[in-house]
Amino acid sequence: MVMLMDITGLIDDLSQDLSRAAEVGGEDVRLAAERLLLALDPALRLTLMDALSQAAAEIGEALPGTTIDVRLKGREPVFVVEGPRTGPTTDNHFEPDDGEPAARITLRLPEALKGRAEALAARRGQSLNTWLVAAARAAAASTGAPADGAQSSPHPHSPGPGRRVQGWAR
């Protein structure tokens, strides 16, 4: 979701307030205030962007799986909100196969791989754990290996795929 915020009105209101306050000091002070306001416009916009960015970061941290970025479009900030997709892929838990109890393991991943896996899980609206379970299921299903770890060869001494048998038999 992308939302544009018009801060020009806020800066104009501040400029008018400062101009009114400067009128008390006479014409020289009013002219100095006008020149000062022209010079301060970029600094005011930058300060507002900083405040909006900090607020967006804090809100994003409070909403798991959601990121809020503040970007500039012209001279105005734009909020870009990315979060978990709704729909059938947002199931954040996993269901064991055939009522099997779940087993806990410790998995050590390189940081870069973990980051990529977290990003992929977030895109699907899943927790990292749910995504890893789905990935393990898909890998186990694609190899054709039985889930219980039994050998797929008809005989324990039969060669596996891609192996040759040499010799002779009686």
Side-chain angles (χ1 to χ4, degrees):
M1 171 182 1
V2 177
M3 300 174 351
L4 179 69
M5 181 178 182
D6 183 8
I7 61 171
T8 300
L10 297 170
I11 293 173
D12 289 345
D13 290 347
L14 181 62
S15 297
Q16 289 173 3
D17 291 344
L18 185 58
S19 292
R20 272 184 250 143
E23 287 175 2
V24 175
E27 185 64 20
D28 289 341
V29 174
R30 187 186 64 75
L31 290 173
E34 285 179 14
R35 284 189 293 256
L36 184 61
L37 285 170
L38 287 174
L40 283 177
D41 184 80
L44 289 171
R45 288 181 182 279
L46 186 61
T47 300
L48 284 172
M49 275 294 292
D50 188 40
L52 293 172
S53 295
Q54 287 179 19
E58 289 181 24
I59 292 168
E61 287 177 13
L63 301 171
T66 302
T67 58
I68 304 172
D69 291 324
V70 181
R71 301 175 186 162
L72 278 178
K73 183 173 185 176
R75 294 171 42 131
E76 304 299 333
V78 175
F79 292 94
V80 179
V81 181
E82 296 176 358
R85 286 188 259 169
T86 58
T89 61
T90 59
D91 181 19
N92 287 327
H93 69 284
F94 75 96
E95 296 176 21
D97 291 337
D98 303 322
E100 274 187 62
R104 288 188 172 270
I105 64 167
T106 300
L107 177 64
R108 297 183 193 281
L109 297 173
E111 279 294 324
L113 177 59
K114 180 179 178 272
R116 289 193 309 263
E118 286 172 331
L120 290 168
R123 275 191 237 150
R124 295 191 61 181
Q126 296 177 322
S127 68
L128 178 58
N129 187 72
T130 301
W131 187 86
L132 286 170
V133 169
R137 279 190 182 134
S142 70
T143 63
D148 64 0
Q151 285 185 314
S152 58
S153 300
H155 188 274
H157 300 293
S158 297
R163 291 181 153 176
R164 286 187 351 190
V165 176
Q166 293 181 348
W168 56 272
R170 285 189 217 188

